[in-house]
Amino acid sequence: MPISKTDIKKDGKQQYRVRVNYTTNDGKHKQIERTAYGLAEAKDIETKLLNEYVGNTSANTKMTVRELYDEYIEVKKYEVRQSTFEKSNRELRMYVLPYLGNERIDKLNSKILQQWKIEIDKKPLSITTKKNKYKTLRALLNYAVKMEYLSKNPLLAVGNFKDVYFKPTDEKIHYYTEEQFKKYIQAAEEYASSHNTLTEWGYYVFFYIAYFTGMRKGEINALKWSDIDDNIIHIRRSVSQKTKGNSIFETPPKNKSSMRDLQMPLPLKSVLEAHKSRQMQTEGFNINYRVCGGIKCLSDTAIDMHNRIYSKNAGIDRIRVHDFRHSHASLLCNEGINIQEIARRLGHSDIQTTWNTYAHLYPREEERAIAILNKIKI
């Protein structure tokens, strides 16, 4: 039975929400909820509720997927980032409940779940997207196993979606070379200069930061002047603009490794100093102003629009905003910078992720290796 933290504290004690699901004698599924302060009290309440409402009955074995979803999603909202929660919730509502919502979880079998896969396979989705739907359903059923509603996850027997066509292991990534970026950022500067507003200069600065640091879009948008100390950028926050009911939702960065300090190169430091001077002329300016947006963040749609304008004016192919992160990494790879330092700069939690993505960009070492071996005298 789930015991979950809330964001409330009282007299120094953490508040917990205790929920117990049970089945009445007439087969109806019910849930009872209580709050407690301190984990010990929460566990005591859980035991009492179990004894009172569940006893020796086989509670929850007749629960439907929709009822499991209702419980799971309530717990999930306190355990993951807001954007992650909303993505999971959206995928369950769109790709799981319409097909499996009325199925009892104890009746789920390979035939039912294989039919679900067939229905998802009919949709015009990429293989990666389909695999993500599978992972979302797997997580839901793993929760049922964790709560002892099921003895095992029946989805594992049917397996994930598979691509019937061979694809190279190294998918092509898109990025700007140094020369391409120079054309791009010159076009961006000319555009900002012709309009000459703080907001327009903010878009120019946004892409400058993206290329020279490899920061994520949310990290750049969240950046405040208080996060910059001389020539060091302290990455301590991120923002999401896709959360329901919130135009801006500020969170910590993606993971522990994303909390990082980056030394600024001189070109970036110069651009930021000039932009700060512009913002300081604004009445009410303070160090909590967003570096690119000022009082508020730049909007995602406007960033995409400016990316299109800049690339068109520069006469080069457009890449995604996220590809500026690839551009930063690619530049360093081609100069032979240690993969571990690149992973640190990007804020990757697993260096293998960095290696799998960028290893093929490193200069070929075969000739140098052969030259070394040729020197061996036998």
Side-chain angles (χ1 to χ4, degrees), residues 274-291:
H275 190 56
K276 187 175 184 180
S277 296
R278 295 187 199 100
Q279 282 198 4
M280 288 176 68
Q281 298 175 29
T282 304
E283 184 178 353
F285 170 83
N286 60 72
I287 60 172
N288 287 317
Y289 266 42
R290 307 283 184 185
V291 171

Side-chain angles (χ1 to χ4, degrees), residues 11-231:
D11 298 329
K13 287 188 176 182
Q14 175 68 50
Q15 186 189 77
Y16 290 87
R17 184 179 284 108
V18 183
R19 299 183 194 84
V20 168
N21 298 283
Y22 64 97
T23 304
T24 62
N25 293 332
D26 58 358
K28 293 182 178 179
H29 298 294
K30 300 284 186 178
Q31 182 182 88
I32 188 167
E33 180 178 305
R34 297 284 187 270
T35 56
Y37 290 91
L39 186 57
E41 181 184 345
K43 289 182 176 179
D44 287 342
I45 291 177
E46 180 190 41
T47 301
K48 292 177 182 178
L49 293 176
L50 286 172
N51 291 335
E52 181 177 355
Y53 289 91
V54 180
N56 295 321
T57 63
S58 56
N60 304 298
T61 56
K62 296 181 180 179
M63 175 186 286
T64 65
V65 172
R66 185 176 299 277
E67 289 167 333
L68 176 65
Y69 157 82
D70 289 338
E71 178 182 325
Y72 170 75
I73 213 67
E74 183 67 20
V75 173
K76 189 85 170 174
K77 71 169 63 172
Y78 298 104
E79 296 181 346
V80 297
R81 291 161 60 91
Q82 182 75 9
S83 55
T84 303
F85 165 78
E86 293 194 357
K87 179 182 178 182
S88 178
N89 190 18
R90 183 171 59 252
E91 292 198 338
L92 287 169
R93 286 189 284 104
M94 291 179 62
Y95 298 101
V96 173
L97 296 185
Y99 308 98
L100 300 173
N102 295 326
E103 299 285 350
R104 276 175 43 178
I105 62 173
D106 63 324
K107 298 296 184 181
L108 289 176
N109 54 36
S110 295
K111 181 178 180 180
I112 293 173
L113 293 171
Q114 187 63 54
Q115 185 59 42
W116 170 78
K117 284 183 63 180
I118 291 172
E119 293 302 320
I120 300 302
D121 248 335
K122 292 177 182 178
K123 297 185 176 298
L125 304 171
S126 70
I127 185 63
T128 300
T129 301
K130 292 175 183 177
K131 287 182 176 181
N132 287 336
K133 312 310 175 196
Y134 175 93
K135 291 178 181 178
T136 301
L137 177 55
R138 183 181 64 190
L140 174 67
L141 296 179
N142 279 344
Y143 173 80
V145 175
K146 174 185 174 182
M147 304 311 298
E148 300 181 355
Y149 303 157
L150 294 174
S151 60
K152 62 180 181 179
N153 190 334
L155 186 63
L156 300 180
V158 300
N160 206 334
F161 295 91
K162 294 181 180 179
D163 190 357
V164 296
Y165 299 103
F166 171 77
K167 284 186 177 180
T169 54
D170 290 325
E171 294 186 359
K172 181 178 177 61
I173 64 172
H174 300 278
Y175 60 92
Y176 281 153
T177 64
E178 181 181 345
E179 290 305 313
Q180 287 173 320
F181 177 71
K182 286 179 179 178
K183 293 179 180 178
Y184 178 94
I185 207 64
Q186 182 179 349
E189 184 176 17
E190 290 172 355
Y191 190 87
S193 181
S194 65
H195 290 75
N196 199 28
T197 66
L198 276 177
T199 302
E200 290 299 336
W201 281 111
Y203 294 112
Y204 162 74
V205 171
F206 176 96
F207 287 103
Y208 217 103
I209 295 173
Y211 185 81
F212 276 94
T213 67
M215 290 169 63
R216 299 178 178 92
K217 177 169 64 174
E219 293 170 344
I220 301 174
N221 246 337
L223 193 65
K224 298 179 179 181
W225 291 111
S226 58
D227 298 321
I228 299 177
D229 180 17
D230 191 22
N231 70 329

Side-chain angles (χ1 to χ4, degrees), residues 253-306:
K254 187 175 182 180
N255 51 53
K256 185 178 179 181
S257 300
S258 297
M259 302 276 283
R260 61 203 189 276
D261 295 337
L262 299 180
Q263 185 172 334
M264 286 191 293
L266 293 177
L268 176 58
K269 185 177 181 181
S270 176
V271 164
L272 290 182
E273 287 175 348
H275 190 56
K276 187 175 184 180
S277 296
R278 295 187 199 100
Q279 282 198 4
M280 288 176 68
Q281 298 175 29
T282 304
E283 184 178 353
F285 170 83
N286 60 72
I287 60 172
N288 287 317
Y289 266 42
R290 307 283 184 185
V291 171
C292 296
I295 297 176
K296 58 183 181 179
C297 298
L298 302 176
S299 75
D300 285 349
T301 52
I303 290 171
D304 289 335
M305 181 191 73
H306 280 76

